[in-house]
Amino acid sequence: MASKLTLSNRTGWTFALPGFALIVIFVVLPFFFAIGLSLTNQRLLSPNPTQFVGVENYRQLLGLAVVTLEPERDDAGEVVRNEAGEIQYPRLRKITRSNDYPQYRGMREWFRWQSGENVTVVIASDVVFMKALVNTFLFVLVVAPVQAGLALVLSLLINQKLRGINVFRTIYFMPVVVSIVVVSLLWRFIYDGQNGLLNSILHGLTFGLFQPVDWLGNPSTALPAIMAMSIWQAVGFHMVIWLAGLQTISPTLYEAAAIEGASKWQTFRYVTWPGLRNTAVLVLIVITMQGFALFAQIDVMTNGGPRDSTQTLVFQAVERGYGKQDISGGSTISVILFVIVLTISLIQRWLTRER
């Protein structure tokens, strides 16, 4: 028996070795290489020698500070106002470019809010990176539950023994097999601000009352538009995962629930959902990883605009690493993204074990 097990293990490792070697060469080694590059000032095609800078790249990306601006006052101590009656404040550049505040040098305003007469300003060393970080988290927080919920609903609808049900399964799954680049190009035409299909449909349904909207050219609608497209494109993939989970639930449990007189909601709550708990964890983890890897839609549809409203972490990493030839900056963003995804995955796993 021992000899057979040993032979089986050797055979298994022999078959697994090529795949394992590819993972090490193209995933593990580049990751550690990226960590090393993030601690330098390496640039592509630069005549200057590479220097070790430690965590300076991380400080440049993650540097944040809060500054409180008090209103300007005249000689009498009264608050100075402009012709429109608005309170005048000192220019932020006097702080970020002053030698008296070296810790704020080079920082730019991210956002501000007013509290009484004072204004609180959040400044960042890299405002574009901060926008990309917030946009990525916002994308995941919106897309993950909506896409998972919609996929669950579709899987419940097609998990029935009806004539022609496979046709609907195929229709729902079709967007998944189409290249994301092709889908992005298609939806870019749909979202066109002049003759886009979406504007034409809304204009017709409202009998001409709806005015055309430049969905991808407006900072307030660009990211939601990409969210809607991403949900539509990948919902079929997660529908299949939910469907596989539904088909592992024993029919006898549904029969017992029917005998007990359980309603459809009670059946779903006490029979279906408990049986899908592990599937739910898988779906959320997959959607989360896909959400943090958002790139193709941004690259094709908006290129990070308008006004950096659709910047994401992966897009920033590629843009800096190859577009601006700042390979150390791109590597730093990649390491930060890895830490974020790993942390979220561990939290999801811990929450699953707690339940």
Side-chain angles (χ1 to χ4, degrees):
M1 179 66 69
S3 60
K4 291 183 179 181
L5 289 177
T6 303
L7 180 61
S8 176
N9 290 339
R10 288 178 180 176
T11 304
W13 279 109
T14 302
F15 280 106
L17 186 59
F20 181 75
L22 291 175
I23 292 176
V24 171
I25 294 173
F26 293 104
V27 178
V28 179
L29 291 181
F31 171 71
F32 286 104
F33 191 49
I35 294 177
L37 289 174
S38 69
L39 302 176
T40 68
N41 63 349
Q42 175 71 45
R43 297 185 64 89
L44 294 176
L45 305 177
S46 175
N48 300 322
T50 303
Q51 296 179 346
F52 179 81
V53 296
V55 296
E56 180 65 19
N57 290 325
Y58 295 93
R59 190 190 68 81
Q60 289 292 333
L61 289 177
L62 302 174
L64 281 176
V66 179
V67 177
T68 301
L69 299 179
E70 298 181 354
E72 294 182 344
R73 298 182 183 273
D74 55 22
D75 295 337
E78 298 294 330
V79 175
V80 177
R81 298 177 182 270
N82 59 14
E83 295 179 356
E86 298 175 345
I87 300 176
Q88 296 296 295
Y89 295 93
R91 300 188 66 179
L92 187 62
R93 292 182 178 180
K94 293 182 179 180
I95 297 177
T96 57
R97 297 185 179 182
S98 173
N99 294 327
D100 297 333
Y101 305 97
Q103 68 274 26
Y104 302 143
R105 180 173 294 276
M107 288 188 167
R108 294 169 49 209
E109 179 180 343
W110 184 13
F111 62 91
R112 64 169 62 192
W113 71 89
Q114 188 163 357
S115 178
E117 292 185 343
N118 297 337
V119 169
T120 302
V121 184
V122 177
I123 56 178
S125 299
D126 195 322
V127 175
V128 177
F129 172 78
M130 287 300 169
K131 289 182 178 180
L133 184 64
V134 172
N135 289 340
T136 303
F137 272 100
L138 183 61
F139 182 88
V140 173
L141 289 175
V142 173
V143 171
V146 175
Q147 194 173 76
L150 183 58
L152 176 59
V153 172
L154 291 177
S155 66
L156 291 172
L157 292 176
I158 65 175
N159 188 34
Q160 303 180 53
K161 295 181 179 180
L162 299 176
R163 179 176 297 180
I165 196 66
N166 289 331
V167 175
F168 291 97
R169 294 180 180 180
T170 303
I171 293 174
Y172 295 150
F173 190 75
M174 281 180 61
V176 180
V177 300
V178 180
S179 169
I180 187 61
V181 175
V182 175
V183 173
S184 299
L185 288 172
L186 174 64
W187 278 78
R188 191 173 69 178
F189 291 118
I190 293 176
Y191 285 140
D192 185 78
Q194 299 298 324
N195 302 314
L197 179 62
L198 181 58
N199 281 330
S200 299
I201 292 176
L202 295 177
H203 185 78
L205 292 177
T206 58
F207 302 99
L209 297 178
F210 180 82
Q211 297 299 320
V213 176
D214 189 1
W215 300 98
L216 298 178
N218 190 332
S220 62
T221 59
L223 187 60
I226 294 177
M227 290 178 181
M229 184 274 289
S230 300
I231 292 172
W232 173 86
Q233 190 272 336
V235 69
F237 175 76
H238 304 291
M239 176 197 70
V240 173
I241 299 178
W242 284 117
L243 182 61
L246 286 171
Q247 294 179 350
T248 61
I249 302 175
S250 175
T252 57
L253 297 177
Y254 291 105
E255 295 174 359
I259 293 174
E260 293 294 331
S263 64
K264 291 184 177 180
W265 168 247
Q266 290 174 329
T267 302
F268 174 80
R269 181 179 179 183
Y270 296 106
V271 177
T272 304
W273 183 246
L276 292 176
R277 185 165 297 173
N278 292 332
T279 306
V281 174
L282 174 62
V283 169
L284 288 177
I285 290 177
V286 171
I287 295 178
T288 300
M289 295 177 65
Q290 291 177 341
F292 278 106
L294 177 64
F295 171 75
Q297 300 95 308
I298 304 298
D299 187 44
V300 174
M301 300 177 71
T302 63
N303 200 32
R307 288 186 291 178
D308 300 323
S309 61
T310 58
Q311 290 282 348
T312 61
L313 291 178
V314 175
F315 183 82
Q316 269 290 293
V318 176
E319 178 70 14
R320 296 192 186 205
Y322 295 99
K324 298 180 180 179
Q325 298 187 354
D326 182 12
I327 195 68
S328 60
S331 299
T332 305
I333 296 176
S334 300
V335 174
I336 293 175
L337 178 60
F338 172 79
V339 173
I340 292 174
V341 174
L342 178 61
T343 302
I344 293 177
S345 300
L346 292 176
I347 292 175
Q348 289 177 333
R349 185 175 181 181
W350 177 76
L351 291 175
T352 305
R353 285 186 174 181
E354 287 295 315
R355 292 181 180 181

